[in-house]
Amino acid sequence: MSAEGQVLAVSHSIAMVGLEPCAVRVECSLGPGLPGLRLVGLPDLALRESVERVRTAVKQQGLHWPGGQRTVVNLAPADLPKSGSGFDLPIAVAVLAATGQVPHEVLDRVWSVGELGLDGQLRAVPGVLPVAAGARHAGAGSLLVAPSAAPEAALVDGLTVVAVRDLREVVEVLRGRSCGTPARPAPVVVPQVGHDLADVRGQPVARRALEIAAAGRHHLLLAGPPGCGKTMLARRLHGLLPPLQVGAALEVAAIHSLAAQRRPDEALSLVPPLREPHHTVSVAGLVGGGSGIPRPGELSLAHHGLLLLDELLETPRVILDALRQPLERGEVVLTRARQQVRYPCEVLLVAATNPCPCGYLGSPTRACRCRPDRIERYRSRLSGPLLDRLDLHLEVSPIDREQLLGPPDGEPTATVAGRVVAARAAAAERWGEDAGNRDVEVARLRATAKPGALRTLAQAVEGLALSARAFDRALRVARTIADLGGRSAIDPADVEEALAYRLADLAVAP
Amino acid sequence: MNLAAALARAFGPVVADGSDPRAVAGVLAWLLPPRRTPVALRRRAAQVAERDGGRPAEVLAAVVGAPDPALGDTLVDLAHRWRTLGVRVAVVGDPAYPARLAAGWPLLDAPALLAWRGTLPAARPTVAVVGARRATGYGTGIAAWLAEAASGAGVSVVSGGALGVDAAAHAAALEGPGATTVVLGCGHGIVYPRPHARAGGLFDRIVEHGGALVSELLPWQPPIPAHVRARNRVVAGLADAVVVVEGGERSGSLLTAGVAVERGLPVLAVPGDVRAPGSSAPHRLLSEGAAPCTGPADLLAAVGGAPTGDALAPAGQVPVDDGGLPPEVRAVLVAAWPRPVPLELLARRSRQPTGLLLAAVTRARVCGVLAEGPDGLRLRRAPTPEVRARLDSTTPGENAGRHGDPSGMPEERG
Ligand SMILES: [Zn+2]
């Protein structure tokens, strides 16, 4: 820098690498040389265009642009890839400070983020929530943002968020002549039960499976013909999930904000997300990706919530394979040439599938026209590591007349959700906050089972010719069944019930 | 000379006891595709037999002659292939070739050469239980009932190797002491249908249980429709009676029944739901004079087998609540029998707490009281009339879904 000239001003902002905020110093120096502005420090394409926008905006607002001098703006640290148009404002602020139009002492405390229009108006950029959280963490006292981004940024505690309309207002605020518009945080929305479990008539087994899935966060496989209500059941399961804690809701909002899946003035929702990607979704769409800094995919958008994958067996193998590791680890790791980006994806997966290629195997109303070997091949795609992650398998039969005409015979969501919360609390007390019945080590699970339960399980696995994996899965589910029943030890009956959540074996015909 | 010795060496370990390796190699050489077919061989044999008479071995020798030396390597490879598959072969008329099947050859159609794994059915009565691949729960349930009762009475079972009725019959026959024989529509080297033919599958269990897998095809020949159709005559040829459980208008089981009539065997048919397409084959046979089969007793009477075993008459021997099934659950299953009951329906009808019901179902499956399929759950054994009567009188309204009552149970699939 020194060869180019003296660093005259530094402003601060945040670059996001995935969900991880990194503080960035925007240094501006002026010196002799060819007139013009040079941007250094790994800017991406959108950032390079920033130079023109900033220059035009400054002039349009009637502010001074250092015309006769060589201006260099450096984004530090240099090895950190930066992207997007959110650096427009900090660059403009650094240039204005370097030319003495705003005081530079305040810039240590007053950080900024936002895109500039050519007229000098400020615009919101996606992902302002994690930027604001990062700024507060890095020591910012206040943050200048576009008015539309302010409610979202103001969700972060301990940071003064100032909404500014244009560059002139920025100058006024930094000179201390105006306070800008103090931002009020977006409201918080508490979940309302939309799809009530009471609507699930005459399917006691499905109701019970949903309750267990919600309580133990067990991934669920639903197999049934088209139109049998698989999606309906998945929505009811979503309604059974306890509301998010504010911290978790902020994490969810940050991911959605980064993916431009949320309006900045939207209320902070405590409703767990529900994502239903189509089975033609791309790998990048599912796990995340895209050029530049990879964006979160559906898996991460469903973080702390429910991911519903319909037509699981129509889904290409490559997609199924891409699901596996994120489901195991609870996070997506996207590796690019220069960096590794991590997005969390603690999801409850509900995978729905037809029982056979035509969809009508086992249907009482329509005949299945599939060749048996085709059914076998179709189902064999379900096997393997992904299926092993799905603890509960449920065959969903189409609604019949008897059910439709019957009275609502089951408990409403509110009642069942109460048991779910109690069961989760019991599990949390036993394992600690970091583990659940779904992923705690099998040895720890075994230690909570009565000897008779383990014996029963071993006999059943032998008698029904099940795999060792099925043993573990049944034990996990049995743990949750016991938790729902308020039992500290797993009973033989818990194990037996757990073993019933399996698809019928095709190879054993009678 | 060299060729004859090589063939004798290669086929020695593959041919059954009492069979001549050279005769087997000669028939094989004649059968090797694409030149000739088993049909052509039988036609020639029939001509020779009519003209010259003679025992099957002499007729065969006259038809096939000595193998073409050019085929030597192919034949040796073939022998090795069968040997690695653990297969034995014999030609018609050999001591190991089933006498029932050979009877009447070449006027009656039978494979000139038979390859098998396991133990061929002995002289005791054998019943063929045949029906559709796309069977309903009713079809597989009845097939299992008949086959299990036959096996329990020491009667062997024979059927094709398809899924559906065939598989149900074989699997149920494994429950008793009787053996069961699968007639394949492909060669022994083809893994088809995969769920049964893979290692440890139903076919392996059948062989372990003293039964056999039989094929007239070369190891690599696929289950093309012609092969699958041709196996029906072998099924009938190995049986003393044929019962058709379920099948559509063009079901292969009609071919089996036709061959049985030609061979003078009793043909039985199981009445079905008149609305179901799968009832057309048995109903057509009934209208043409087949005997109705309404249970194992009819079938066993047709082969002169004494009806024994509790699968046939379990009155008072099997307690109502065996397997730990709650009486309410059992009542629903009995009312629907032999149709399977979908799990949700069982939970709804029995009005048991769901967790308790599921635990009971698992328990009953583990101890073999309940069978489970894509259509639902079914009692493995027929409930006795006494049990039915008692349940009917004690739990009115719970017998909806009884066969013939369309109000409650789902309709049959085609
Ligand atoms: Zn189908």
Side-chain angles (χ1 to χ4, degrees):
Chain A
M1 261 309 115
S2 55
E4 306 257 346
Q6 184 85 36
V7 173
L8 295 174
V10 177
S11 74
H12 297 273
S13 191
I14 292 288
M16 295 301 298
V17 178
L19 258 193
E20 202 188 324
C22 305
V24 171
R25 288 161 55 86
V26 181
E27 306 169 341
C28 179
S29 61
L30 301 173
L34 288 174
L37 187 142
R38 220 171 68 113
L39 195 58
V40 295
L42 278 186
D44 77 347
L45 210 63
L47 244 173
R48 283 176 207 285
E49 291 166 358
S50 172
V51 173
E52 272 319 303
R53 278 197 304 272
V54 171
R55 192 197 336 253
T56 314
V58 167
K59 288 180 177 169
Q60 283 292 317
Q61 293 272 307
L63 297 162
H64 170 65
W65 182 259
Q69 284 170 305
R70 174 170 173 74
T71 309
V72 177
V73 171
N74 177 41
L75 305 175
D79 59 346
L80 182 77
K82 299 135 199 115
S83 107
S85 48
F87 288 99
D88 287 5
L89 182 56
I91 290 170
V93 167
V95 171
L96 292 173
T99 50
Q101 298 175 80
V102 297
H104 53 80
E105 310 82 36
V106 297
L107 299 186
D108 280 345
R109 282 191 44 78
V110 184
W111 294 32
S112 59
V113 63
E115 180 185 319
L116 285 171
L118 294 176
D119 55 357
Q121 299 280 323
L122 218 59
R123 297 191 199 137
V125 290
V128 75
L129 176 58
V131 166
R136 190 211 46 192
H137 189 75
S142 57
L143 183 69
L144 305 181
V145 299
S148 61
E152 179 174 313
L155 287 169
V156 175
D157 273 338
L159 179 76
T160 309
V161 173
V162 181
V164 279
R165 284 187 312 275
D166 53 30
L167 267 186
R168 254 196 307 264
E169 192 174 8
V170 169
V171 170
E172 294 298 297
V173 168
L174 289 175
R175 283 182 181 166
R177 291 195 199 146
S178 156
C179 304
T181 314
R184 256 190 277 148
V188 172
V189 177
V190 182
Q192 305 284 314
V193 174
H195 304 284
D196 200 282
L197 202 59
D199 305 336
V200 183
R201 291 183 188 186
Q203 286 174 285
V205 180
R207 297 176 55 95
R208 176 81 175 154
L210 297 185
E211 178 176 343
I212 296 169
R217 299 191 305 129
H218 298 286
H219 302 310
L220 173 67
L221 176 73
L222 299 174
C228 69
K230 287 171 286 192
T231 310
M232 186 275 271
L233 290 175
R235 300 232 166 95
R236 269 38 179 204
L237 173 54
H238 179 242
L240 280 178
L241 300 180
L244 299 177
Q245 305 288 324
V246 173
L250 283 172
E251 252 180 272
V252 170
I255 295 170
H256 284 238
S257 175
L258 267 183
Q261 292 274 326
R262 152 177 225 289
R263 290 195 323 276
D265 55 345
E266 204 171 296
L268 179 70
S269 171
L270 303 187
V271 182
L274 167 63
R275 304 293 298 188
E276 308 179 33
H278 192 256
H279 71 266
T280 55
V281 66
S282 65
V283 172
L286 187 67
V287 303
S291 59
I293 305 247
R295 297 232 247 168
E298 291 289 342
L299 257 170
S300 297
L301 290 168
H303 181 47
H304 288 314
L306 191 149
L307 179 71
L308 171 59
L309 284 184
D310 208 351
E311 310 281 5
L312 185 69
L313 290 185
E314 307 294 336
T315 308
R317 186 95 236 177
V318 52
I319 298 273
L320 300 185
D321 290 343
L323 270 174
R324 210 181 72 228
Q325 266 204 348
L327 280 184
E328 269 164 27
R329 296 182 176 177
E331 72 171 0
V332 173
V333 181
L334 300 163
T335 306
R336 290 296 180 271
R338 282 199 294 222
Q339 84 267 31
Q340 214 177 36
V341 174
R342 289 160 191 276
Y343 290 117
C345 64
E346 257 315 323
V347 303
L348 172 55
L349 174 67
V350 177
T353 179
N354 286 339
C356 66
C358 86
Y360 291 100
L361 179 71
S363 162
T365 50
R366 282 189 56 179
C368 166
R369 292 283 164 216
C370 301
R371 273 173 38 193
D373 52 326
R374 290 257 169 80
I375 299 176
E376 173 73 12
R377 208 171 311 139
Y378 188 75
R379 285 232 177 158
S380 71
R381 300 188 55 199
L382 265 183
S383 61
L386 180 62
L387 195 68
D388 285 334
R389 306 291 308 173
L390 303 169
D391 288 343
L392 292 161
H393 302 177
L394 183 67
E395 269 179 276
V396 186
S397 33
I399 316 289
D400 59 38
R401 203 177 35 153
E402 182 180 309
Q403 272 167 274
L404 278 180
L405 298 180
D409 49 359
E411 298 160 310
T413 291
T415 312
V416 180
R419 282 199 298 270
V420 167
V421 168
R424 283 196 178 192
E429 191 171 321
R430 186 174 48 244
W431 310 127
E433 286 294 337
D434 291 340
N437 294 347
R438 184 178 77 197
D439 29 42
V440 72
E441 298 87 347
V442 177
R444 295 178 72 190
L445 275 174
R446 275 172 174 271
T448 72
K450 290 185 182 165
L454 292 175
R455 218 165 31 239
T456 302
L457 183 52
Q459 279 164 3
V461 164
E462 162 93 36
L464 301 175
L466 305 179
S467 66
R469 296 273 197 171
F471 183 102
D472 294 352
R473 282 205 308 264
L475 202 56
R476 293 186 188 290
V477 173
R479 182 60 264 170
T480 301
I481 293 170
D483 285 343
L484 281 167
R487 291 179 287 282
S488 57
I490 301 175
D491 272 344
D494 297 329
V495 165
E496 284 166 341
E497 182 187 346
L499 282 165
Y501 301 107
R502 295 176 47 252
L503 298 189
D505 195 348
L506 279 178
V508 188
Chain B
M1 238 37 258
N2 243 345
L3 174 67
L7 288 178
R9 209 171 37 244
F11 279 91
V14 176
V15 298
D17 288 345
S19 294
D20 178 359
R22 284 166 308 172
V24 169
V27 172
L28 259 178
W30 204 93
L31 283 175
L32 276 177
R35 239 162 19 102
R36 290 149 171 160
T37 65
V39 178
L41 176 58
R42 188 177 69 90
R43 248 188 236 126
R44 291 282 296 278
Q47 286 163 9
V48 170
E50 200 179 347
R51 194 180 64 218
D52 307 332
R55 293 182 300 111
E58 293 159 9
V59 173
L60 264 184
V63 172
V64 301
D68 178 352
L71 293 174
D73 288 347
T74 311
L75 291 171
V76 169
D77 284 350
L78 198 50
H80 286 316
R81 183 91 185 90
W82 266 328
R83 197 176 168 186
T84 49
L85 289 165
V87 164
R88 286 304 173 104
V89 295
V91 292
V92 63
D94 284 350
Y97 190 104
R100 249 185 309 241
L101 187 57
W105 187 87
L107 291 177
L108 289 178
D109 195 359
L113 178 141
L114 208 59
W116 68 91
R117 194 153 77 79
T119 316
L120 287 173
R124 62 186 166 192
T126 301
V127 292
V129 180
V130 298
R133 192 173 56 171
R134 288 187 190 119
T136 64
Y138 173 71
T140 53
I142 294 285
W145 182 32
L146 297 176
E148 188 178 337
S151 176
V155 171
S156 321
V157 173
V158 60
S159 188
L163 302 176
V165 166
D166 292 7
H170 290 305
L174 296 181
E175 306 280 328
T180 187
T181 303
V182 182
V183 183
L184 301 171
C186 58
H188 284 285
I190 305 285
V191 182
Y192 181 89
R194 182 166 286 276
H196 300 324
R198 66 183 166 204
L202 178 64
F203 290 174
D204 279 356
R205 284 188 283 137
I206 285 170
V207 170
E208 278 166 31
H209 192 74
L213 309 178
V214 172
S215 171
E216 62 175 304
L217 298 165
L218 304 176
W220 59 81
Q221 285 185 300
I224 58 172
H227 292 160
V228 174
R229 270 197 305 279
R231 68 131 173 253
N232 290 305
R233 79 192 197 290
V234 182
V235 172
L238 287 172
D240 297 294
V242 171
V243 58
V244 175
V245 174
E246 211 175 35
E249 277 167 47
R250 287 157 49 190
S251 171
S253 50
L254 289 173
L255 296 177
T256 313
V259 173
V261 170
E262 204 178 315
R263 287 178 171 262
L265 305 178
V267 173
L268 297 90
V270 175
D273 184 332
V274 293
R275 302 164 300 178
S279 302
S280 35
H283 287 178
R284 184 170 137 198
L285 291 170
L286 287 172
S287 71
E288 287 170 359
C293 177
T294 59
D298 292 339
L299 181 60
L300 295 181
V303 292
T308 59
D310 65 353
L312 198 59
Q317 294 170 15
V318 182
V320 174
D321 58 347
D322 70 332
L325 279 177
E328 297 86 348
V329 178
R330 197 176 170 82
V332 176
L333 291 164
V334 167
W337 204 90
R339 293 184 194 217
V341 184
L343 188 57
E344 291 282 13
L345 194 66
L346 187 61
R348 206 156 73 213
R349 291 263 169 84
S350 64
R351 296 204 175 85
Q352 297 294 297
T354 312
L356 199 143
L357 167 86
L358 293 174
V361 162
T362 300
R363 214 152 37 232
R365 289 187 56 218
V366 172
C367 64
V369 171
L370 269 183
E372 185 197 36
D375 295 334
L377 296 152
R378 182 178 59 79
L379 290 171
R380 270 190 194 277
R381 306 206 150 181
T384 62
E386 288 83 352
V387 170
R388 280 165 168 262
R390 194 156 62 227
L391 286 166
D392 283 354
S393 61
T394 53
T395 51
E398 289 292 355
N399 62 348
R402 165 77 60 83
H403 187 50
D405 171 3
S407 66
M409 281 297 287
E411 282 169 31
E412 278 300 339
R413 294 186 295 119

